[in-house]
Every structure is written in C-alpha cells, then in structure tokens.
Amino acid sequence: MRWEITVKVCPNPSPLLVLARLDRLDLLGDPSGIVLTRTVLDEVRDKIDPATERVNALARDAVMADPPFSERIDVSRSLGPGERSVLAWALSAGADALCVLDDAAARSEARRLRLAVTGTLGLVLRAKSEGRIAAAAPLLEQAVLAGLYLDDALLAEVLARVGETWPRR
C-alpha cells in the first residue's frame, strides 16, 4: 500500500506509547497529518508512563478529534475505548484515514469495516523501505522491549523478507 500525503494517521494508545517510549513518534509522519482522538489521548494520559510527555507534545501539533459512536462497529468484539474511537474516526473520515492498531481484534474489525490499517510493525517496515531507518530489526527489538507484543516467528518471517534477521529467535 502506498500512502499519499493526504492520508491522516490515527493511532491507538498502544502503538502511540510504544513509539513514544522509543522517541520515534516521527514514524507516524508529520504531526499535522496525525489525528488523535480525545479518547486515545485520555487513555495515554491516564497511564503512568514517562512517554506520556512526548505524546502530549505531539498532541499540541496533531489534529484532535472527538468522533461520534458508530453503530457499524461490532460491539461484541473485545475492543477498548481507544480502539473504538480510532475506528469511529476512520469511518467518519473516509478513504483518507489510516488506523494504526496493534491489537489483533481491532485490526480484524478494521478490515471487516474495510478501513486502511497498519500497526507498529508496518510503520517500521515503511520507514525502512523509504530509507528513513537503516535497519528494522534493532528498532523492532527495542519496540518489543518497550511493550509491543509480536510473535518471534512473525518477526523472523517479516524481517527475512527485507533481508534482515530477528535476533531473539
């Protein structure tokens, strides 16, 4: 998938905090193209995390949104409030929306709703393919240490596709 400048990126708290812990919020793109829902920002601020201040700094330049609840979102799925708000925002934003979700259920719901979705892994691989980082594996290893939950086998498989190895195998 090729992302154009007009795409607005809306992250859930998990990838937002992982990237903030790594001081790599730049992987989300230009702050003016980032949308933070009030629910996501509240969830981040409710956590006791040193990375919260980086998210607060990003919020000063990001677009803030307070999307209405959408009945199209399957409430039977175990989605958190932040995930639901990201999906609701993307439904209201249309084709120019990219959801950044790491949770499998949230990503599945985004696909069911036919929304564009990526996760922390996708953002890192995109940065590598664009030459913004020299290697994906070291950053992904730091992301896992910072709280990103990904299977070692998946990381080994994905990194092999870009000519890298997963050190934790």
Side-chain angles (χ1 to χ4, degrees), residues 76-87:
S76 70
R77 292 188 182 258
S78 58
L79 303 177
E83 293 160 339
R84 287 192 304 273
S85 74
V86 168
L87 295 171

Side-chain angles (χ1 to χ4, degrees), residues 1 3 6-8 89-98 114-116:
M1 171 180 209
W3 299 316
T6 60
V7 169
K8 294 285 188 186
W89 172 80
L91 285 168
S92 69
D96 294 336
L98 176 65
R114 300 184 192 278
L115 298 171

Side-chain angles (χ1 to χ4, degrees), residues 69-152:
F69 172 77
S70 173
E71 299 211 3
R72 292 180 55 200
I73 298 171
D74 184 351
V75 294
S76 70
R77 292 188 182 258
S78 58
L79 303 177
E83 293 160 339
R84 287 192 304 273
S85 74
V86 168
L87 295 171
W89 172 80
L91 285 168
S92 69
D96 294 336
L98 176 65
C99 303
V100 182
L101 304 161
D102 285 337
D103 179 76
R107 293 168 62 82
S108 176
E109 181 66 358
R111 285 190 292 276
R112 186 189 72 78
L113 294 167
R114 300 184 192 278
L115 298 171
V117 63
T118 193
T120 305
L121 176 60
L123 292 174
V124 171
L125 293 174
R126 174 182 166 200
K128 162 127 183 179
S129 73
E130 293 175 350
R132 293 186 289 132
I133 60 173
L139 190 54
L140 288 170
E141 187 168 23
Q142 291 172 357
V144 167
L145 294 172
L148 178 64
Y149 298 105
L150 286 175
D151 181 74
D152 282 345

